[in-house]
Amino acid sequence: MEPLKKEEEKALNFLEEIIENDLRTGKHTSILTRFPPEPNGYLHLGHASSIWLNFGLAQKYGGKTNLRFDDTNPVTEDTEYVESIKEDIKWLGYSWANEFYASDYFDKIYEFAMQLIRQGDAYVDDLTPDEIAAMKGTPIEPGSNSPFRDRSVEENLELFAQMKAGKFEEGAKILRAKIDMASPNMLLRDPILYRIKFAHHHRTGDAWCIYPMYDFAHGQSDAIENITHSICTLEFIPHRAIYDWCIAKLNIYPSHQYEFARLNVSYTVMSKRKLLQLVNENHVSGWDDPRMPTIAGMRRRGYTPRAIREFCERAGIAKRDKLNEISLLEFCVREELNKTSFRRMVVFNPVKVVITNFVEEEVLLESENNPEEEHSGVRTIPFSKELYIEHEDFMENPPKKFFRMAIGQSVRLKSAYIVTCNGVIKDEAGNILEIHCTYIPESKSGHDTSGLKVQGTLHWVSIKHAIGVELREYDRLFKSENPALEEGDFKEYINSDSLNIIMNAFAEPALKEATESQRFQFLRKGYFCKDKDSTLDHLVFNRTVSLKESFTKEVKK
Ligand code: ATP
Ligand code: MG
């Protein structure tokens, strides 16, 4: 894969072009963007792309970004989500200029509604939702006017006040914009502005029983905050006409809406509604299950903020939907962890090795924490008579070019000595109990005077110093590249083998000191981090990603 080009060499994306033009022509002297999550779930990788875009553009052009909770739907929202969203944005490395809530604007938005009514641009409609739908027309036929469309301003003001005062049942009345029932844009056929909902709101409590619709809250909130560039995803293109209509009719700050394609990523789903189902139906252990494409899940799995930002940058922004490869994210995280992670040795599937000529109690060896980073220091690794190596690293009847351990063959034990294998001891069933080796004291790594050359280097641990650890390896959560587009329920495409737990692994003792924020490369095995399920005497590590790309589409079968 190509290294990222330097800032000045990169072509501008279409939003950067628009902003540079706006700044050059003096349309704006500075820019203000916003990230507007609905607090009805945890943030996912798609949100990361929107965060990277909104905060990144503001940073690049010396502007600011507001965090605005789009909390106009009282039913699905929760304070737990507000907190997780803030934590995730901070973790991704961004800070907002202001923390706002659309619900803080309810009074103001109510005023806007009254203004439209007074201007004759909105009316209270008594039709039922079914009647409204039936009279909406089709894309090729115009709709028909509601019989309540020509109510007087006074009557509308009175009815709207009564709606607010809780005088009507849910669904009995709504407020509609009076635009054009024959508009080719179906959304402009007198869109609903306010609906009655007797629901407790996570911030305003029971103060309101009418709530503005998205189309009468989002643009208004943008205008109230003087947002210059309001960036959303493609499905809002037809809504832009309402956005602009409201700004013109209310004569408020002319924010402008721009659309880009949603980020989709292979082998996962990217909608909070679907992710919520996975959580509620126990397909995963929670929003932060390391297989989830949520920021919380990716953080727990060991992905880093920098790798996620890098992924967003490389995936870029598009004006048409496409599917991005999850392997691109894995590439980004490998590239970073290779440079930054501490190297440690962990044997996943142990077989015992006895160094028959080793007579000391132990030797303390030193090894660099990270050969890629000069000042990363060293750790001590104890070496003793009895070791574990990987079962797969020994073969009794090896094929040609097997450079690992075999009888009569020599290999280097990483950061330790060259050993020569002399034989094996087996039980009656033929299982290997011990592999017997001799070591060459002059071959100590870093001080090797033996003059010997060997082909293979193996990782190992000293049995009496090793700590038992649990390892969790993750695979794709779905068998299908794009489960949301498959026939039937997306959950039918869940990969039932997405979690592999290894209970019987042994780690070098330095890993006792691991913290959750540290990242490790387990030599020859992959990148790992400590999981929050760890206790003092039971350490659990998550595999972030394998050392190399190994996934094939085999899973699909
Ligand atoms: P979901 O379907 O997952 O609920 P949403 O768009 O309803 O997504 P919001 O909380 O309303 O989620 O979105 C907050 C911001 O994040 C919006 O500006 C939205 O456009 C953006 N966003 C959400 N999903 C994606 C995605 N997959 N790619 C890019 N931006 C996204
Ligand atoms: Mg939404």
Side-chain angles (χ1 to χ4, degrees), residues 8 38 45 51 58 80 87 103 117-118 128 130 202 219 227 241 281 294 313 326 398 422 429 434 486 496 498 550 553:
E8 63 270 18
E38 195 181 337
L45 202 45
I51 291 169
E80 174 198 345
E87 183 188 350
S103 57
I117 295 174
R118 280 194 296 268
T128 64
D130 285 346
H202 77 119
I227 299 298
E281 297 170 24
T294 52
E313 173 116 27
I326 187 72
N422 306 308
E434 291 178 354
E486 295 280 2
S496 53
S498 59
S550 62
K553 292 186 180 174

PDB file of all heavy atoms in Angstrom, residues 8 38 45 51 58 80 87 103 117-118 128 130 202 219 227 241 281 294 313 326 398 422 429 434 486 496 498 550 553:
ATOM      1  N   GLU A   8       0.603  18.861   1.394  1.00  0.00           N
ATOM      2  CA  GLU A   8       0.548  19.763   0.237  1.00  0.00           C
ATOM      3  C   GLU A   8       0.444  19.031  -1.096  1.00  0.00           C
ATOM      4  O   GLU A   8       0.041  19.598  -2.094  1.00  0.00           O
ATOM      5  CB  GLU A   8       1.755  20.735   0.259  1.00  0.00           C
ATOM      6  CG  GLU A   8       3.119  20.091   0.149  1.00  0.00           C
ATOM      7  CD  GLU A   8       3.686  19.745   1.529  1.00  0.00           C
ATOM      8  OE1 GLU A   8       2.904  19.685   2.498  1.00  0.00           O
ATOM      9  OE2 GLU A   8       4.889  19.523   1.631  1.00  0.00           O
ATOM     10  N   GLU A  38     -27.193  11.729  17.368  1.00  0.00           N
ATOM     11  CA  GLU A  38     -28.410  11.491  18.132  1.00  0.00           C
ATOM     12  C   GLU A  38     -28.010  10.556  19.272  1.00  0.00           C
ATOM     13  O   GLU A  38     -27.429   9.498  19.009  1.00  0.00           O
ATOM     14  CB  GLU A  38     -29.438  10.812  17.211  1.00  0.00           C
ATOM     15  CG  GLU A  38     -30.822  10.840  17.754  1.00  0.00           C
ATOM     16  CD  GLU A  38     -31.810  10.142  16.824  1.00  0.00           C
ATOM     17  OE1 GLU A  38     -31.535  10.024  15.611  1.00  0.00           O
ATOM     18  OE2 GLU A  38     -32.848   9.709  17.338  1.00  0.00           O
ATOM     19  N   LEU A  45     -17.726   3.312  13.487  1.00  0.00           N
ATOM     20  CA  LEU A  45     -16.699   3.762  12.560  1.00  0.00           C
ATOM     21  C   LEU A  45     -17.222   4.801  11.562  1.00  0.00           C
ATOM     22  O   LEU A  45     -16.481   5.696  11.143  1.00  0.00           O
ATOM     23  CB  LEU A  45     -16.170   2.522  11.819  1.00  0.00           C
ATOM     24  CG  LEU A  45     -14.800   2.533  11.177  1.00  0.00           C
ATOM     25  CD1 LEU A  45     -13.743   3.141  12.066  1.00  0.00           C
ATOM     26  CD2 LEU A  45     -14.422   1.097  10.798  1.00  0.00           C
ATOM     27  N   ILE A  51     -16.734  12.541  12.249  1.00  0.00           N
ATOM     28  CA  ILE A  51     -15.966  13.318  13.243  1.00  0.00           C
ATOM     29  C   ILE A  51     -14.654  13.797  12.620  1.00  0.00           C
ATOM     30  O   ILE A  51     -14.291  14.972  12.701  1.00  0.00           O
ATOM     31  CB  ILE A  51     -15.695  12.453  14.491  1.00  0.00           C
ATOM     32  CG1 ILE A  51     -17.004  12.192  15.239  1.00  0.00           C
ATOM     33  CG2 ILE A  51     -14.651  13.098  15.404  1.00  0.00           C
ATOM     34  CD1 ILE A  51     -16.913  11.135  16.325  1.00  0.00           C
ATOM     35  N   ALA A  58     -12.334  21.823  10.226  1.00  0.00           N
ATOM     36  CA  ALA A  58     -12.219  23.019  11.060  1.00  0.00           C
ATOM     37  C   ALA A  58     -10.759  23.228  11.467  1.00  0.00           C
ATOM     38  O   ALA A  58     -10.227  24.341  11.384  1.00  0.00           O
ATOM     39  CB  ALA A  58     -13.121  22.899  12.282  1.00  0.00           C
ATOM     40  N   GLU A  80     -26.766   7.823  29.136  1.00  0.00           N
ATOM     41  CA  GLU A  80     -25.616   6.903  29.003  1.00  0.00           C
ATOM     42  C   GLU A  80     -24.938   7.120  27.649  1.00  0.00           C
ATOM     43  O   GLU A  80     -23.708   7.134  27.543  1.00  0.00           O
ATOM     44  CB  GLU A  80     -26.103   5.449  29.097  1.00  0.00           C
ATOM     45  CG  GLU A  80     -24.993   4.421  28.815  1.00  0.00           C
ATOM     46  CD  GLU A  80     -25.512   3.012  28.476  1.00  0.00           C
ATOM     47  OE1 GLU A  80     -26.698   2.733  28.731  1.00  0.00           O
ATOM     48  OE2 GLU A  80     -24.717   2.212  27.946  1.00  0.00           O
ATOM     49  N   GLU A  87     -16.931  10.651  25.465  1.00  0.00           N
ATOM     50  CA  GLU A  87     -15.695   9.906  25.738  1.00  0.00           C
ATOM     51  C   GLU A  87     -15.033   9.472  24.416  1.00  0.00           C
ATOM     52  O   GLU A  87     -13.816   9.602  24.244  1.00  0.00           O
ATOM     53  CB  GLU A  87     -16.024   8.684  26.587  1.00  0.00           C
ATOM     54  CG  GLU A  87     -14.794   7.880  26.979  1.00  0.00           C
ATOM     55  CD  GLU A  87     -15.139   6.566  27.666  1.00  0.00           C
ATOM     56  OE1 GLU A  87     -16.318   6.347  28.026  1.00  0.00           O
ATOM     57  OE2 GLU A  87     -14.212   5.746  27.829  1.00  0.00           O
ATOM     58  N   SER A 103     -32.243  20.135  22.171  1.00  0.00           N
ATOM     59  CA  SER A 103     -33.366  20.344  23.095  1.00  0.00           C
ATOM     60  C   SER A 103     -33.267  21.696  23.814  1.00  0.00           C
ATOM     61  O   SER A 103     -34.273  22.219  24.288  1.00  0.00           O
ATOM     62  CB  SER A 103     -33.441  19.209  24.118  1.00  0.00           C
ATOM     63  OG  SER A 103     -32.230  19.092  24.827  1.00  0.00           O
ATOM     64  N   ILE A 117     -46.467  30.274  11.273  1.00  0.00           N
ATOM     65  CA  ILE A 117     -47.938  30.318  11.304  1.00  0.00           C
ATOM     66  C   ILE A 117     -48.408  31.756  11.032  1.00  0.00           C
ATOM     67  O   ILE A 117     -49.281  31.985  10.198  1.00  0.00           O
ATOM     68  CB  ILE A 117     -48.483  29.816  12.665  1.00  0.00           C
ATOM     69  CG1 ILE A 117     -48.150  28.328  12.865  1.00  0.00           C
ATOM     70  CG2 ILE A 117     -49.992  30.040  12.747  1.00  0.00           C
ATOM     71  CD1 ILE A 117     -48.517  27.781  14.238  1.00  0.00           C
ATOM     72  N   ARG A 118     -47.777  32.696  11.727  1.00  0.00           N
ATOM     73  CA  ARG A 118     -48.196  34.100  11.554  1.00  0.00           C
ATOM     74  C   ARG A 118     -48.013  34.559  10.109  1.00  0.00           C
ATOM     75  O   ARG A 118     -48.785  35.349   9.593  1.00  0.00           O
ATOM     76  CB  ARG A 118     -47.402  35.016  12.499  1.00  0.00           C
ATOM     77  CG  ARG A 118     -47.951  35.003  13.933  1.00  0.00           C
ATOM     78  CD  ARG A 118     -47.365  36.160  14.759  1.00  0.00           C
ATOM     79  NE  ARG A 118     -45.931  36.026  14.910  1.00  0.00           N
ATOM     80  CZ  ARG A 118     -45.335  35.406  15.935  1.00  0.00           C
ATOM     81  NH1 ARG A 118     -46.074  34.912  16.923  1.00  0.00           N
ATOM     82  NH2 ARG A 118     -44.031  35.302  15.989  1.00  0.00           N
ATOM     83  N   THR A 128     -55.379  12.136   9.838  1.00  0.00           N
ATOM     84  CA  THR A 128     -54.618  11.061  10.473  1.00  0.00           C
ATOM     85  C   THR A 128     -53.368  10.790   9.635  1.00  0.00           C
ATOM     86  O   THR A 128     -53.324  11.137   8.440  1.00  0.00           O
ATOM     87  CB  THR A 128     -55.434   9.756  10.521  1.00  0.00           C
ATOM     88  OG1 THR A 128     -55.664   9.337   9.165  1.00  0.00           O
ATOM     89  CG2 THR A 128     -56.764   9.945  11.231  1.00  0.00           C
ATOM     90  N   ASP A 130     -52.462   8.145   8.231  1.00  0.00           N
ATOM     91  CA  ASP A 130     -52.834   7.381   7.036  1.00  0.00           C
ATOM     92  C   ASP A 130     -53.438   8.277   5.957  1.00  0.00           C
ATOM     93  O   ASP A 130     -53.140   8.132   4.765  1.00  0.00           O
ATOM     94  CB  ASP A 130     -53.853   6.284   7.385  1.00  0.00           C
ATOM     95  CG  ASP A 130     -53.186   5.129   8.106  1.00  0.00           C
ATOM     96  OD1 ASP A 130     -51.928   5.074   8.074  1.00  0.00           O
ATOM     97  OD2 ASP A 130     -53.905   4.309   8.715  1.00  0.00           O
ATOM     98  N   HIS A 202     -34.877  13.096  28.045  1.00  0.00           N
ATOM     99  CA  HIS A 202     -33.743  12.917  28.972  1.00  0.00           C
ATOM    100  C   HIS A 202     -33.202  14.229  29.523  1.00  0.00           C
ATOM    101  O   HIS A 202     -32.513  14.232  30.540  1.00  0.00           O
ATOM    102  CB  HIS A 202     -32.612  12.092  28.321  1.00  0.00           C
ATOM    103  CG  HIS A 202     -31.778  12.856  27.343  1.00  0.00           C
ATOM    104  ND1 HIS A 202     -30.434  13.070  27.490  1.00  0.00           N
ATOM    105  CD2 HIS A 202     -32.127  13.481  26.186  1.00  0.00           C
ATOM    106  CE1 HIS A 202     -29.982  13.796  26.473  1.00  0.00           C
ATOM    107  NE2 HIS A 202     -30.986  14.043  25.670  1.00  0.00           N
ATOM    108  N   GLY A 219     -31.751  22.177  10.734  1.00  0.00           N
ATOM    109  CA  GLY A 219     -31.320  23.422  10.080  1.00  0.00           C
ATOM    110  C   GLY A 219     -31.456  24.618  11.013  1.00  0.00           C
ATOM    111  O   GLY A 219     -30.619  25.534  11.016  1.00  0.00           O
ATOM    112  N   ILE A 227     -23.643  27.918  12.108  1.00  0.00           N
ATOM    113  CA  ILE A 227     -22.807  26.921  11.444  1.00  0.00           C
ATOM    114  C   ILE A 227     -22.630  27.335   9.983  1.00  0.00           C
ATOM    115  O   ILE A 227     -23.615  27.658   9.306  1.00  0.00           O
ATOM    116  CB  ILE A 227     -23.487  25.528  11.524  1.00  0.00           C
ATOM    117  CG1 ILE A 227     -23.667  25.084  12.977  1.00  0.00           C
ATOM    118  CG2 ILE A 227     -22.709  24.492  10.698  1.00  0.00           C
ATOM    119  CD1 ILE A 227     -22.405  24.905  13.776  1.00  0.00           C
ATOM    120  N   ALA A 241     -33.856  20.997   0.353  1.00  0.00           N
ATOM    121  CA  ALA A 241     -34.843  21.989  -0.099  1.00  0.00           C
ATOM    122  C   ALA A 241     -35.659  22.524   1.092  1.00  0.00           C
ATOM    123  O   ALA A 241     -35.996  23.717   1.138  1.00  0.00           O
ATOM    124  CB  ALA A 241     -35.754  21.356  -1.141  1.00  0.00           C
ATOM    125  N   GLU A 281     -29.808  -8.832  21.647  1.00  0.00           N
ATOM    126  CA  GLU A 281     -30.066 -10.258  21.443  1.00  0.00           C
ATOM    127  C   GLU A 281     -28.834 -11.110  21.751  1.00  0.00           C
ATOM    128  O   GLU A 281     -28.758 -12.280  21.378  1.00  0.00           O
ATOM    129  CB  GLU A 281     -30.555 -10.487  20.001  1.00  0.00           C
ATOM    130  CG  GLU A 281     -31.877  -9.772  19.744  1.00  0.00           C
ATOM    131  CD  GLU A 281     -32.275  -9.775  18.273  1.00  0.00           C
ATOM    132  OE1 GLU A 281     -31.827 -10.673  17.528  1.00  0.00           O
ATOM    133  OE2 GLU A 281     -33.020  -8.861  17.866  1.00  0.00           O
ATOM    134  N   THR A 294     -17.993  -0.417  16.783  1.00  0.00           N
ATOM    135  CA  THR A 294     -18.134   0.802  17.587  1.00  0.00           C
ATOM    136  C   THR A 294     -16.759   1.303  18.008  1.00  0.00           C
ATOM    137  O   THR A 294     -15.804   0.528  18.097  1.00  0.00           O
ATOM    138  CB  THR A 294     -18.936   0.501  18.864  1.00  0.00           C
ATOM    139  OG1 THR A 294     -18.337  -0.631  19.511  1.00  0.00           O
ATOM    140  CG2 THR A 294     -20.387   0.194  18.553  1.00  0.00           C
ATOM    141  N   GLU A 313      -8.940   8.942   6.769  1.00  0.00           N
ATOM    142  CA  GLU A 313      -8.252   9.758   5.778  1.00  0.00           C
ATOM    143  C   GLU A 313      -8.040   8.984   4.472  1.00  0.00           C
ATOM    144  O   GLU A 313      -8.276   9.488   3.382  1.00  0.00           O
ATOM    145  CB  GLU A 313      -6.902  10.181   6.371  1.00  0.00           C
ATOM    146  CG  GLU A 313      -5.990  10.902   5.420  1.00  0.00           C
ATOM    147  CD  GLU A 313      -5.721  12.331   5.875  1.00  0.00           C
ATOM    148  OE1 GLU A 313      -5.800  12.584   7.092  1.00  0.00           O
ATOM    149  OE2 GLU A 313      -5.437  13.159   4.999  1.00  0.00           O
ATOM    150  N   ILE A 326     -12.404  -3.637   5.240  1.00  0.00           N
ATOM    151  CA  ILE A 326     -11.966  -3.619   6.642  1.00  0.00           C
ATOM    152  C   ILE A 326     -10.454  -3.855   6.709  1.00  0.00           C
ATOM    153  O   ILE A 326      -9.774  -3.392   7.629  1.00  0.00           O
ATOM    154  CB  ILE A 326     -12.753  -4.659   7.480  1.00  0.00           C
ATOM    155  CG1 ILE A 326     -12.424  -4.542   8.975  1.00  0.00           C
ATOM    156  CG2 ILE A 326     -12.504  -6.072   7.024  1.00  0.00           C
ATOM    157  CD1 ILE A 326     -12.971  -3.347   9.649  1.00  0.00           C
ATOM    158  N   PRO A 398      10.472 -33.648   9.875  1.00  0.00           N
ATOM    159  CA  PRO A 398      10.216 -32.382   9.173  1.00  0.00           C
ATOM    160  C   PRO A 398      10.431 -32.513   7.676  1.00  0.00           C
ATOM    161  O   PRO A 398      11.263 -33.299   7.236  1.00  0.00           O
ATOM    162  CB  PRO A 398      11.270 -31.451   9.776  1.00  0.00           C
ATOM    163  CG  PRO A 398      12.371 -32.358  10.192  1.00  0.00           C
ATOM    164  CD  PRO A 398      11.746 -33.649  10.601  1.00  0.00           C
ATOM    165  N   ASN A 422      18.155 -32.911  20.520  1.00  0.00           N
ATOM    166  CA  ASN A 422      18.778 -34.240  20.505  1.00  0.00           C
ATOM    167  C   ASN A 422      17.788 -35.388  20.548  1.00  0.00           C
ATOM    168  O   ASN A 422      18.148 -36.519  20.259  1.00  0.00           O
ATOM    169  CB  ASN A 422      19.733 -34.372  21.689  1.00  0.00           C
ATOM    170  CG  ASN A 422      20.738 -33.235  21.710  1.00  0.00           C
ATOM    171  OD1 ASN A 422      21.410 -32.970  20.718  1.00  0.00           O
ATOM    172  ND2 ASN A 422      20.805 -32.512  22.817  1.00  0.00           N
ATOM    173  N   ALA A 429       1.075 -43.344  24.553  1.00  0.00           N
ATOM    174  CA  ALA A 429       0.186 -43.035  23.434  1.00  0.00           C
ATOM    175  C   ALA A 429       0.912 -42.291  22.305  1.00  0.00           C
ATOM    176  O   ALA A 429       0.314 -41.995  21.273  1.00  0.00           O
ATOM    177  CB  ALA A 429      -0.987 -42.197  23.937  1.00  0.00           C
ATOM    178  N   GLU A 434       8.496 -34.374  26.473  1.00  0.00           N
ATOM    179  CA  GLU A 434       9.625 -33.441  26.567  1.00  0.00           C
ATOM    180  C   GLU A 434      10.448 -33.508  25.290  1.00  0.00           C
ATOM    181  O   GLU A 434      10.623 -34.582  24.715  1.00  0.00           O
ATOM    182  CB  GLU A 434      10.557 -33.840  27.721  1.00  0.00           C
ATOM    183  CG  GLU A 434       9.947 -33.634  29.080  1.00  0.00           C
ATOM    184  CD  GLU A 434      10.884 -34.088  30.216  1.00  0.00           C
ATOM    185  OE1 GLU A 434      11.962 -34.677  29.913  1.00  0.00           O
ATOM    186  OE2 GLU A 434      10.518 -33.850  31.368  1.00  0.00           O
ATOM    187  N   GLU A 486     -27.837  -8.247   2.168  1.00  0.00           N
ATOM    188  CA  GLU A 486     -28.225  -9.628   1.886  1.00  0.00           C
ATOM    189  C   GLU A 486     -29.747  -9.793   2.008  1.00  0.00           C
ATOM    190  O   GLU A 486     -30.420  -9.013   2.662  1.00  0.00           O
ATOM    191  CB  GLU A 486     -27.557 -10.576   2.895  1.00  0.00           C
ATOM    192  CG  GLU A 486     -26.050 -10.622   2.807  1.00  0.00           C
ATOM    193  CD  GLU A 486     -25.547 -11.512   1.684  1.00  0.00           C
ATOM    194  OE1 GLU A 486     -26.377 -12.083   0.936  1.00  0.00           O
ATOM    195  OE2 GLU A 486     -24.310 -11.624   1.552  1.00  0.00           O
ATOM    196  N   SER A 496     -20.355 -17.520  13.139  1.00  0.00           N
ATOM    197  CA  SER A 496     -20.414 -18.139  14.465  1.00  0.00           C
ATOM    198  C   SER A 496     -19.021 -18.449  15.018  1.00  0.00           C
ATOM    199  O   SER A 496     -18.869 -18.784  16.179  1.00  0.00           O
ATOM    200  CB  SER A 496     -21.253 -19.413  14.406  1.00  0.00           C
ATOM    201  OG  SER A 496     -20.741 -20.232  13.387  1.00  0.00           O
ATOM    202  N   SER A 498     -16.487 -16.241  15.197  1.00  0.00           N
ATOM    203  CA  SER A 498     -15.757 -14.973  15.237  1.00  0.00           C
ATOM    204  C   SER A 498     -14.936 -14.791  16.510  1.00  0.00           C
ATOM    205  O   SER A 498     -14.159 -13.857  16.611  1.00  0.00           O
ATOM    206  CB  SER A 498     -16.719 -13.798  15.056  1.00  0.00           C
ATOM    207  OG  SER A 498     -17.681 -13.816  16.078  1.00  0.00           O
ATOM    208  N   SER A 550      -4.178 -12.312   6.769  1.00  0.00           N
ATOM    209  CA  SER A 550      -4.270 -13.747   6.526  1.00  0.00           C
ATOM    210  C   SER A 550      -5.669 -14.153   6.109  1.00  0.00           C
ATOM    211  O   SER A 550      -5.912 -15.241   5.656  1.00  0.00           O
ATOM    212  CB  SER A 550      -3.921 -14.504   7.801  1.00  0.00           C
ATOM    213  OG  SER A 550      -4.861 -14.162   8.797  1.00  0.00           O
ATOM    214  N   LYS A 553     -11.428 -15.221   1.774  1.00  0.00           N
ATOM    215  CA  LYS A 553     -12.884 -15.202   1.747  1.00  0.00           C
ATOM    216  C   LYS A 553     -13.473 -16.574   2.056  1.00  0.00           C
ATOM    217  O   LYS A 553     -14.663 -16.779   1.962  1.00  0.00           O
ATOM    218  CB  LYS A 553     -13.378 -14.626   0.423  1.00  0.00           C
ATOM    219  CG  LYS A 553     -13.013 -13.159   0.365  1.00  0.00           C
ATOM    220  CD  LYS A 553     -13.562 -12.428  -0.825  1.00  0.00           C
ATOM    221  CE  LYS A 553     -13.109 -10.974  -0.730  1.00  0.00           C
ATOM    222  NZ  LYS A 553     -13.460 -10.194  -1.881  1.00  0.00           N
TER     223      LYS A 553
END
